Amino acid sequence: MTSAPTKSSTERRTRSGAGQPSWPFVIVANRLPVSLTRRKGEKHWTTSPGGLVSALTPIAQRAHGAWVGWSGSVDDRLEPFEHDAIAQVPVTISRQDHHDFYQGFCNRTLWPLYHDAVQNPEYHRHWWRSYVAVNERFARMVAETVQADGAVWVQDYQLQLVPALLRALRPDLRIGFFLHIPFPPAELFARLPWRRQVLEGLLGADVIGFQTERNRGNFLRVVGQYTRAQASDAGPIRHDGRRLQAAAYPISIDFELYESVALAPDTEPRVERLRQRLGSSRKVILGIDRLDYTKGIDHRLRAFHELLLSGLVKPSDAVMVQVAVPSRERVAEYAELRRRVEELVGQINGEFGEVGVAVVHYVRRNLTPENLVAMYRTGDVMMVTPLCDGMNLVAKEYVATRFDNSGTLVLSEFAGAAEELTDALLVNPHDVDGIGAAILSALTMDPVEAAGRMAKMRAIVRGHTVHDWARSFVADLVPARQRRSILGG
Ligand code: G6P
């Protein structure tokens, strides 16, 4: 997507002559749904990476609301604009914020801490100060953007202080917060030197949403431990004379959209071309992930390598395709993961590939929606094996594209999606032998059994889409009369 944004009504409505903000519904996330890059001085907009953006874009489009976030480029001072039928309200992130807030506190403190500390989290006071300052900036921008008695939906770990900061500025608003990543067990959360401040930030919301009941339970436990709020498993939380709700709202995808792209006439020829390039008689084992150390990419490559070494899988029978979407590349742990993955791919191909015939195809880029769906349709075995993951929408997207009930999903027990997709082949992603065994069973599964499992998973994803997710959250957040305008009927 490289089309140019327009100014349209957005600018007028956020900075109107009378200085009155006028959006009734505002989504706030660290990133805008589109990211700015500059090539030869020209601006290009591309879809931002990650599950958050893919889930919320259809909601924002239906709601005709505004989206407050960062453009993805540092030191930019952009005016509000409209793009993809969404009013985009940019917040400036300086080079220093990028270092201390984004790469530091968000992605070297909170991200590893909230993902089971699979990498060691670092705690630095200047990173925390930057986190506070950037959250304050977001809260001020939202306060200027949303109309009286409007509703605001704050997203994810980068903005946990915004609910309380915004409430202090605008007590008239209804404020929701949704955490897309896991909320960690109390023993891990307790390490955070600023644990009380983070909890008090979240408690500024009226509704706090988590991916799973387990995450909600973890949260209630630490609220009881580290704040003065009264929290119990049943009933609302009481804090500061207010009642607020914490609940699980498992996120999902736009099932119909993925299915319709899968059924579109130009998808099958793309799939055919991919199959021919990969070798028509070989089964395709597929992984599609952000290049992130929580995703277990290296573990799954090792499992495939061992299957080849054991001779249980032959290069003429199966091929692995790993699509890795570049992510947080300046953070050291991500650079190290990339090095490890690329070394493994090289090693496996060196040992088992032939000239012109690879056993692992590694593609490090973002795919267009059409190519993504063609890739899903090409995968006979889909590997979604994160070490820890809030939900994982790739698993649900794959299922939505398998309209003929073909294909097998191998899914980590530690992805939120495993609570719903119990007909996948569930694996412990740390267990390299277990992953290998799951790959083997997927490759050899009786087609009738595979189709039965896929049909059940499809019914589950079809029965709870991203629109249902948004509807249930918004129903808890705003009074009935406001819901219709937000959810578009
Ligand atoms: C995950 C997070 C999102 C984040 C996305 C991409 O999906 O939950 O909050 O936006 O990854 O990561 P990035 O650091 O590039 O925004």
Side-chain angles (χ1 to χ4, degrees):
M1 189 190 2
T2 52
S3 57
T6 57
K7 276 193 179 173
S8 86
S9 58
T10 316
E11 203 168 323
R12 290 199 301 279
R13 291 182 73 176
T14 46
R15 290 160 200 251
S16 60
Q20 290 301 317
S22 60
W23 293 97
F25 178 62
V26 175
I27 288 174
V28 196
N30 181 48
R31 275 186 192 277
L32 288 171
V34 283
S35 294
L36 178 63
T37 47
R38 291 174 203 277
R39 261 175 270 135
K40 294 184 188 151
E42 270 195 41
K43 288 183 184 169
H44 292 270
W45 294 91
T46 52
T47 305
S48 300
L52 182 159
V53 161
S54 58
L56 277 155
T57 299
I59 307 300
Q61 284 166 336
R62 269 203 194 183
H64 303 295
W67 185 314
V68 173
W70 168 50
S71 71
S73 132
V74 294
D75 284 325
D76 257 320
R77 273 161 224 289
L78 301 168
E79 289 300 323
F81 60 92
E82 194 163 313
H83 191 82
D84 256 3
I86 300 172
Q88 322 249 354
V89 182
V91 173
T92 302
I93 294 288
S94 69
R95 194 163 294 284
Q96 196 64 44
D97 299 330
H98 190 260
H99 187 268
D100 295 345
F101 159 78
Y102 174 73
Q103 298 188 36
F105 201 76
C106 291
N107 290 320
R108 299 189 78 179
T109 307
L110 293 175
W111 182 267
L113 181 67
Y114 281 32
H115 286 91
D116 273 357
V118 294
Q119 291 280 339
N120 217 14
E122 286 186 32
Y123 307 101
H124 297 293
R125 282 163 286 188
H126 64 289
W127 288 0
W128 163 251
R129 284 194 290 275
S130 177
Y131 186 75
V132 175
V134 173
N135 272 250
E136 285 170 346
R137 194 175 312 146
F138 270 83
R140 281 195 301 273
M141 184 59 96
V142 178
E144 284 177 22
T145 305
V146 60
Q147 77 177 28
D149 298 320
V152 175
W153 192 0
V154 185
Q155 312 291 325
D156 230 0
Y157 64 101
Q158 302 92 340
L159 302 177
Q160 292 173 103
L161 307 182
V162 168
L165 292 167
L166 185 57
R167 181 162 302 282
L169 294 170
R170 292 286 305 274
D172 58 303
L173 303 175
R174 292 288 294 171
I175 303 170
F177 179 90
F178 184 78
L179 186 68
H180 291 254
I181 67 174
F183 193 89
E187 297 72 21
L188 283 178
F189 186 76
R191 296 183 189 176
L192 186 66
W194 308 278
R195 60 198 180 191
R196 181 183 52 77
Q197 293 92 319
V198 166
L199 293 173
E200 284 173 355
L202 292 170
L203 290 170
D206 296 293
V207 179
I208 307 175
F210 299 95
Q211 299 279 23
T212 63
E213 284 297 338
R214 183 194 302 249
N215 293 167
R216 169 178 175 265
N218 290 345
F219 173 72
L220 291 179
R221 210 173 128 203
V222 291
V223 164
Q225 237 167 324
Y226 301 117
T227 73
R228 295 219 299 267
Q230 287 170 284
S232 75
D233 217 16
I237 300 174
R238 288 167 205 277
H239 176 61
D240 241 2
R242 295 182 303 116
R243 288 150 69 98
L244 53 124
Q245 179 177 330
Y249 304 87
I251 200 167
S252 191
I253 58 155
D254 190 335
F255 183 92
E256 273 181 28
L257 178 73
Y258 280 90
E259 192 184 53
S260 66
V261 179
L263 287 162
D266 48 356
T267 299
E268 201 44 44
R270 280 176 207 266
V271 175
E272 215 23 68
R273 279 197 297 276
L274 276 169
R275 284 206 157 277
Q276 265 166 20
R277 291 217 297 263
L278 292 167
S280 302
S281 60
R282 294 160 106 195
K283 290 244 171 128
V284 178
I285 304 166
L286 177 64
I288 301 185
D289 311 81
R290 266 187 320 103
L291 192 40
D292 191 301
Y293 54 77
T294 60
K295 302 290 182 187
I297 302 170
D298 41 347
H299 297 63
R300 112 178 39 126
L301 281 166
R302 285 214 303 276
F304 185 56
H305 188 195
E306 288 183 14
L307 286 178
L308 292 166
L309 283 169
S310 67
L312 289 168
V313 170
K314 301 215 166 15
S316 52
D317 296 337
V319 55
M320 185 174 255
V321 177
Q322 177 64 52
V323 179
V325 178
S327 188
R328 306 175 194 165
E329 295 197 297
R330 307 246 287 275
V331 175
E333 291 79 7
Y334 288 75
E336 168 55 22
L337 170 75
R338 176 176 166 192
R339 199 198 52 71
R340 264 200 322 274
V341 165
E342 294 182 353
E343 190 178 290
L344 268 168
V345 171
Q347 187 186 352
I348 302 171
N349 278 329
E351 283 171 37
F352 294 97
E354 297 292 336
V355 174
V357 189
V359 272
V360 181
H361 292 260
Y362 166 71
V363 182
R364 194 176 62 84
R365 74 192 62 125
N366 210 346
L367 300 181
T368 63
E370 294 73 21
N371 286 334
L372 175 68
V373 169
M375 201 58 103
Y376 284 140
R377 290 287 311 156
T378 308
D380 299 299
V381 179
M382 181 79 216
M383 302 295 294
V384 180
T385 56
L387 307 179
C388 182
D389 212 333
M391 175 55 64
N392 197 299
L393 296 180
V394 164
K396 294 189 172 183
E397 289 170 6
Y398 177 70
V399 165
T401 64
R402 310 306 296 194
F403 54 80
D404 50 0
N405 292 334
S406 63
T408 303
L409 176 64
V410 176
L411 179 60
S412 161
E413 290 167 18
F414 306 137
E419 291 198 2
E420 295 167 77
L421 303 180
T422 49
D423 279 289
L425 292 181
L426 294 177
V427 292
N428 171 356
H430 297 273
D431 173 9
V432 174
D433 288 338
I435 303 173
I439 295 178
L440 266 188
S441 358
L443 288 173
T444 53
M445 190 181 286
D446 166 40
V448 177
E449 182 189 342
R453 285 172 179 262
M454 185 55 77
K456 286 196 202 142
M457 292 193 282
R458 286 175 56 73
I460 285 166
V461 182
R462 184 190 275 119
H464 179 73
T465 67
V466 73
H467 299 294
D468 301 309
W469 168 75
R471 210 170 291 132
S472 55
F473 190 95
V474 170
D476 289 344
L477 181 63
V478 300
R481 65 191 147 75
Q482 268 176 300
R483 269 177 231 158
R484 219 181 139 72
S485 65
I486 294 176
L487 296 166

